[in-house]
Amino acid sequence: MNNRTETPRARAAELVPGIADFRDGQPAGNPWVAGAPTPEAVAIVDYNPSWPARFAEIASMLESSLGDEIVSIAHVGSTAVPGLAAKDVIDIDLTVADPAAEERYVATLERLGFRLTVREPEFELHRMLRLEEPRVNVHVYAPGAAETARHALFRDWLRETPADLELYAEAKRAAAASGPGSAAEYTDRKSAVVREIYARAFAASGVPLRERALAPAVLPPLPERAGDEALSWRPARRDDAEAIYELTRVAGLVDHPKDLSSLESVELGMTGQHFSLATDSMLGFTSRGELVAYGEAHLGDTFDTEVQVSVDGVVHPDWRGRGIGAALLAWQEARARQLLAACGSDLPAMICLGAREANVDATALMSSAGFLPVRWWMELWRDLGGEAGDRVEQRELPPGVVLRPFEPGLSEATRIALNDAFRDHWGSQPSSRQEWEEELALDDFAPELSFVAVTEGEVGGGSEGGSAGGSEGTAQPEASPGHPRVLAAVLTEVDEREWELNGGPFAYISSVGVIREARGLGLSSVVLRAALEHYRRGGMLGAALDVDAANPSGALAMYTKLGFELSDRSVTYAKRA
């Protein structure tokens, strides 16, 4: 073959303008040249080592027949990725000078047995020709097309990223198992996973976030009616806090009946370094002035390894099932994309939201909007039995380490320690001083039931050695007399309003963390055991905490050993950018 048959590396390096723009929502005509194809079952088969040779044979035939009409030929799609299960179809990107000049290549390919099936002039002049035996799809584009660059980038990313290769293979099998359908329907079923993988590939390849975010110029409209009822919308104001709290309280009785919100937490959620109520929030009212929906897009205060926008929202239970939630979520996602595009960072980015796994209406809404479940969280419960319960066995601290109750003088050192402890945890970003101080100022924070392990000397023996440096908010200060260094901490919250809902007095463990340098010393078990025993002596009947099901520190095994049991699960859904 001549040099028109491209090498993967050379092709993937071409990050052409618009590579991240999938042109969602662009008006399009009927693409089918001779009518839509009959739905057919999709069969996903194991990788066939003969696929590259089959491509080479077809490419040689194309070059011999079309000669100088060809600018380039590339093997793309799943059959171009070693080890990837796929349909037994060779996909080829054929670049010609002008795809609209069909007289220069279509008749020639038809004599080879190909049939022109797709014509999409509005999508980079795309044409597709199909060969039945062996099954081949030839996609025709003009030079510099973003779609061919995307195809090459996706192919090469899968070749180099085993985790995403497996993720994509699972998505393909699931899409095929959904039943017969058109190629477009099969593609739609796996599109959320494809976009997730593309986002990672774009970020790693240096595509700026302002392009990856796919921010709309105009936000989508919100519904003016829900059935027979008129709706009106406006941004939230600070004096809406009580109405928002009442809405979240009523919805919470359905969505998370054992976990109550508070007016304090609502007011705190209306603040943030990068958050503006005027642009980033929306309230929906009935014609009678009743608040029935609230949504926001909240860009995080800090960008350490990732830029995150959370899209929290709620619809009154009596007003669900009328399309309000779907429309509000579309607005929130669009605003989140605008925030990402304007944030000034080129880090990987994520738009996220979550719900209890048992809240099937919420998870169905997220899935229907194209969000993927990306992380599961377990709520664990430990019976304590109050003062009559069994004493929690304590463990000795390593030499030079002492346990102290949390106190204001240790606040900043504790913030830095926990930022470091969670730095390698999924989705975690450092807490800024402002965020930290605001959280500690909430009424449910219980400093008298929170503890820290400190030292004034060197730390040694950790299984993951190395000092914690890096960005602001994680660098560990040197320990010295009078200035102890926090190695581990357990922070506790107590909300007496939730006691009746949970069977009696209990404490919620909001954070347990050990700096990475001190992992392997058993400190998390020590501080947690101390806290549990203080809870029991104080009359608490139980303790609760939430843990990432894939926690990298092995915390789940420790909690299980300490007698914690699963009581509930929640899930985070996300879209990458």
Side-chain angles (χ1 to χ4, degrees):
M1 280 182 214
N2 62 32
N3 59 12
R4 289 187 295 243
T5 303
E6 299 167 352
T7 63
R9 286 283 182 186
R11 197 69 184 92
E14 296 179 19
L15 299 181
V16 302
I19 190 172
D21 185 359
F22 294 91
R23 302 190 181 186
D24 293 334
Q26 177 176 314
N30 179 8
W32 304 110
V33 174
T38 303
E40 59 184 6
V42 175
I44 301 299
V45 301
D46 290 339
Y47 177 76
N48 187 337
S50 72
W51 284 336
R54 192 185 304 173
F55 159 72
E57 181 180 349
I58 298 296
S60 178
M61 180 175 65
L62 295 176
E63 289 192 318
S64 298
S65 301
L66 292 175
D68 291 340
E69 294 294 338
I70 296 176
V71 176
S72 64
I73 304 175
H75 188 190
V76 296
S78 297
T79 60
V81 181
L84 179 59
K87 295 180 296 179
D88 190 16
V89 179
I90 303 298
D91 281 291
I92 295 174
D93 277 352
L94 173 66
T95 301
V96 301
D98 181 10
E102 295 180 4
E103 69 279 2
R104 301 176 65 173
Y105 63 91
V106 170
T108 301
L109 295 184
E110 286 177 339
R111 285 193 291 272
L112 297 175
F114 287 88
R115 179 166 46 90
L116 180 65
T117 58
V118 172
R119 180 186 291 118
E120 296 180 295
E122 63 273 33
F123 288 105
E124 299 190 294
L125 304 178
H126 174 235
R127 270 69 171 166
M128 191 189 86
L129 294 98
R130 170 176 172 141
L131 182 66
E132 296 298 335
E133 185 58 40
R135 275 289 290 113
V136 178
N137 292 331
V138 172
H139 301 271
V140 183
Y141 291 98
E147 187 72 359
T148 57
R150 268 194 293 274
H151 290 168
L153 179 65
F154 192 79
R155 174 199 63 201
D156 293 349
W157 178 260
L158 292 180
R159 287 175 170 176
E160 299 167 359
T161 315
D164 277 345
L165 184 148
E166 184 55 36
L167 175 65
Y168 187 45
E170 291 175 3
K172 288 161 67 70
R173 293 188 186 101
S178 298
S182 67
E185 290 170 333
Y186 166 73
T187 298
D188 286 344
R189 292 170 188 160
K190 59 188 177 74
S191 63
V193 170
V194 170
R195 293 295 180 89
E196 171 92 0
I197 296 171
Y198 262 125
R200 282 191 282 271
F202 289 153
S205 301
V207 179
L209 182 52
R210 66 178 180 275
E211 296 180 18
R212 303 192 322 257
L214 303 179
V218 179
L219 295 174
L222 289 161
E224 297 180 358
R225 304 195 69 82
D228 296 332
E229 296 282 348
L231 296 176
S232 61
W233 298 86
R234 67 164 173 83
R237 301 186 298 253
R238 291 294 178 91
D239 59 6
D240 291 314
E242 289 191 9
I244 295 171
Y245 164 65
E246 179 59 20
L247 174 62
T248 58
R249 185 193 69 78
V250 173
L253 297 176
V254 175
D255 298 336
H256 41 81
K258 292 188 176 183
D259 180 19
L260 301 180
S261 62
S262 69
L263 177 59
E264 257 194 328
S265 62
V266 169
E267 291 173 334
L268 179 57
M270 300 172 84
T271 65
Q273 285 181 314
H274 307 299
F275 180 70
S276 168
L277 285 171
T279 56
D280 305 336
S281 70
M282 195 58 67
L283 299 177
F285 296 90
T286 68
S287 58
R288 299 178 299 278
E290 176 189 5
L291 178 62
V292 295
Y294 171 68
E296 65 181 32
H298 205 131
L299 178 63
D301 280 6
T302 58
F303 315 149
D304 187 49
T305 58
E306 186 173 63
V307 185
Q308 295 179 5
V309 181
S310 60
V311 286
D312 292 328
V314 62
V315 175
H316 193 287
D318 293 344
W319 285 77
R320 294 176 181 177
R322 309 188 195 192
I324 297 174
L328 183 57
L329 181 54
W331 183 93
Q332 291 173 275
E333 180 186 343
R335 180 58 188 148
R337 292 186 179 282
Q338 290 180 337
L339 291 168
L340 292 176
C343 74
S345 172
D346 282 331
L347 287 169
M350 179 171 65
I351 304 168
C352 57
L353 68 167
R356 289 177 60 236
E357 193 174 52
N359 188 349
V360 293
D361 289 340
T363 56
L365 173 63
M366 298 171 197
S367 294
S368 66
F371 286 83
L372 286 177
V374 294
R375 212 68 173 187
W376 282 261
W377 311 86
M378 296 185 289
E379 181 179 302
L380 305 181
W381 178 268
R382 169 52 151 95
D383 284 324
L384 293 172
E387 292 183 82
D390 293 336
R391 179 180 179 274
V392 179
E393 181 184 355
Q394 301 298 292
R395 294 285 173 85
E396 291 187 4
L397 287 158
V401 180
V402 296
L403 189 69
R404 289 191 187 181
F406 179 87
E407 59 184 76
L410 293 170
S411 176
E412 179 62 8
T414 304
R415 179 185 76 90
I416 292 173
L418 289 177
N419 277 349
D420 177 73
F422 289 101
R423 199 170 169 209
D424 57 355
H425 288 220
W426 182 90
S428 179
Q429 297 298 302
S431 292
S432 67
R433 287 186 178 89
Q434 178 179 334
E435 290 175 306
W436 175 260
E437 291 168 1
E438 289 173 340
E439 289 286 344
L440 296 193
L442 294 175
D443 287 342
D444 56 4
F445 176 56
E448 71 281 4
L449 295 176
S450 301
F451 299 90
V452 294
V454 302
T455 184
E456 294 183 354
E458 294 295 320
V459 182
S463 64
E464 297 190 21
S467 62
S471 63
E472 187 274 334
T474 58
Q476 292 288 317
E478 293 294 328
S480 61
H483 296 88
R485 182 181 180 194
V486 173
L487 305 181
V490 54
L491 302 184
T492 306
E493 297 175 0
V494 173
D495 187 344
E496 295 184 12
R497 300 174 306 141
E498 295 181 341
W499 287 2
E500 183 178 352
L501 299 174
N502 290 272
F506 78 100
Y508 177 73
I509 300 165
S510 60
S511 291
V512 180
V514 178
I515 65 170
R516 290 172 297 159
E517 183 182 346
R519 289 179 185 170
L521 300 177
L523 292 178
S524 55
S525 177
V526 171
V527 297
L528 192 55
R529 288 172 182 273
L532 291 173
E533 178 59 14
H534 277 79
Y535 302 162
R536 186 192 67 81
R537 291 179 187 174
M540 299 293 179
L541 299 180
L545 58 80
D546 290 286
V547 62
D548 182 351
N551 187 299
S553 66
L556 181 58
M558 177 194 68
Y559 297 140
T560 302
K561 189 178 295 186
L562 285 173
F564 283 87
E565 296 180 346
L566 179 67
S567 63
D568 204 356
R569 283 167 60 97
S570 58
V571 58
T572 295
Y573 281 72
K575 288 186 180 183
R576 299 274 181 184

